[in-house]
Amino acid sequence: MSVPPPRAEGAFPSAPVRPKRTLSLKQRQALWAYSFLLVPLAFFVIVRFVPTLTAFRMSLFDWNTVGTEHPFVGFENYTRLASDATFGRALRNTAFYALIGVPAQIALGLGIALLLSRITALRGLLRALYFIPYVTPIVAATWVWQWLLSPQFGPVNTVLVTLGLPAQSFLTSPDQALPSATALVVWQNLGFQVVLFLAGLAAIPRSYYEAASLDGANGWYTFRRITFPLLNPTIVFSVVTGTIAYLQLFTQIVNLNFTDQGGPLQSTLTVAVYIYQVAFGRFQMGYASALTVVLFAIILVITLLQMRFLTRRFDY
């Protein structure tokens, strides 16, 4: 039997060594995930939130880039909007673009996607042809449309005259310029809508159609009860992104009539183009910032309403 060595006088036994607390694998993974998320979050805050807050702050001042004084005016720039006839015209034009353009491009995109999903020959070629306008530079496409719709030497008027129909003014007429510009934007976005709906149609299980066929359902009933409800996420995405794009319409309008942007007689003027004219034509940055804040609020409210009332969930 061994005898423990005698303890020195005044010495105490050492405390047991506790293992160091370390993060679990799941906690370390979460920490790394949040660390990587901080980078794009910081970029988003700097690029999005800071300019938005700066625009709201500038809207409270009489901020003219020419002068050196920027007096505080409170909400005077916002009250000025109520009596600005040009802003009212731009707002109505923008609403027209969105109300006509978004349903038109969604209906055409869905119809073409349904037709393409039923064929096998040349499907890839046709899909590429529809998608080419979407990847074409907006400025180049706009200039081509400007030539096509030219009242003097445009091919469209040549065809109309050949058919015995009167030539049209199109972009030079205050009555026809707005629908002509809307047609350009619909044509340009159509390919993207076709691709979206083709992807949505491919995600619908074939077994639903087979079951409906066995029950004797016709094509319209199948579309109304299966295809359209299950395309709801695609439709909501198309409506929301399309509406935002139309409410921010700028490049096409500026290039359709470069010498009279938003013309003729403000018939194609949008809110985004008007903001540009106020900011960089009149150098009234304070008033332009107020216009920007109002446009941001309109887009935010419309987007929330669309997502609230259009989103549906269907389970079969």
Side-chain angles (χ1 to χ4, degrees):
M1 180 177 179
S2 63
V3 179
R7 189 171 60 193
E9 187 177 356
F12 295 95
S14 59
V17 179
R18 296 181 177 179
K20 292 183 178 179
R21 290 186 176 180
T22 58
L23 297 176
S24 64
L25 176 61
K26 188 175 181 180
Q27 290 173 326
R28 290 200 300 272
Q29 290 175 339
L31 185 61
W32 276 109
Y34 282 117
S35 300
F36 283 112
L37 283 174
L38 282 178
V39 177
L41 180 63
F43 178 79
F44 189 80
V45 169
I46 294 173
V47 174
R48 293 293 185 182
F49 287 127
V50 172
T52 302
L53 296 176
T54 303
F56 179 72
R57 178 178 176 275
M58 290 178 64
S59 69
L60 303 177
F61 292 83
D62 184 10
W63 197 297
N64 194 315
T65 54
V66 178
T68 56
E69 300 289 334
H70 308 304
F72 179 78
V73 295
F75 291 94
E76 183 179 320
N77 285 325
Y78 292 95
T79 57
R80 178 182 167 187
L81 291 174
S83 57
D84 189 344
T86 305
F87 171 67
R89 181 63 182 271
L91 198 60
R92 289 193 297 273
N93 290 343
T94 305
F96 179 90
Y97 285 120
L99 291 175
I100 302 300
V102 173
Q105 69 182 26
I106 289 178
L108 291 173
L110 177 58
I112 294 172
L114 287 170
L115 294 175
L116 288 178
S117 65
R118 293 178 177 275
I119 64 174
T120 55
L122 303 177
R123 181 194 295 182
L125 175 62
L126 293 173
R127 187 168 51 191
L129 290 176
Y130 281 112
F131 196 69
I132 284 176
Y134 186 72
V135 297
T136 303
I138 298 176
V139 174
T142 305
W143 287 351
V144 170
W145 269 70
Q146 195 178 34
W147 167 69
L148 289 172
L149 300 180
S150 171
Q152 292 80 23
F153 47 83
V156 177
N157 267 335
T158 303
V159 174
L160 292 178
V161 172
T162 303
L163 296 175
L165 299 173
Q168 302 297 320
S169 301
F170 293 119
L171 297 173
T172 58
S173 166
D175 297 328
Q176 299 181 11
L178 185 57
S180 300
T182 307
L184 161 64
V185 184
V186 171
W187 167 81
Q188 196 164 31
N189 293 330
L190 184 59
F192 182 64
Q193 301 298 322
V194 171
V195 172
L196 277 180
F197 283 113
L198 281 174
L201 291 171
I204 299 176
R206 297 292 99 185
S207 57
Y208 294 161
Y209 293 109
E210 294 169 0
S213 177
L214 292 175
D215 291 339
N218 56 25
W220 171 244
Y221 185 87
T222 303
F223 173 79
R224 193 162 54 90
R225 294 291 186 178
I226 298 177
T227 305
F228 193 74
L230 293 181
L231 282 177
N232 180 265
T234 305
I235 295 173
V236 173
F237 178 80
S238 297
V239 170
V240 171
T241 56
T243 303
I244 292 174
Y246 277 92
L247 293 178
Q248 297 177 339
L249 203 57
F250 178 81
T251 308
Q252 294 90 337
I253 307 306
V254 168
N255 288 279
L256 271 177
N257 194 339
F258 198 75
T259 56
D260 184 15
Q261 296 172 347
L265 299 176
Q266 300 176 346
S267 59
T268 60
L269 184 67
T270 63
V271 176
V273 175
Y274 185 50
I275 292 172
Y276 174 80
Q277 292 175 348
V278 172
F280 300 102
R282 306 177 194 170
F283 305 109
Q284 298 174 356
M285 302 302 291
Y287 188 52
S289 299
L291 289 165
T292 304
V293 172
V294 170
L295 179 61
F296 168 76
I298 292 173
I299 293 175
L300 180 63
V301 171
I302 291 178
T303 301
L304 293 176
L305 290 175
Q306 288 175 334
M307 297 187 69
R308 170 66 180 82
F309 292 103
L310 294 180
T311 303
R312 296 286 186 274
R313 185 177 179 82
F314 297 92
D315 293 319
Y316 291 97

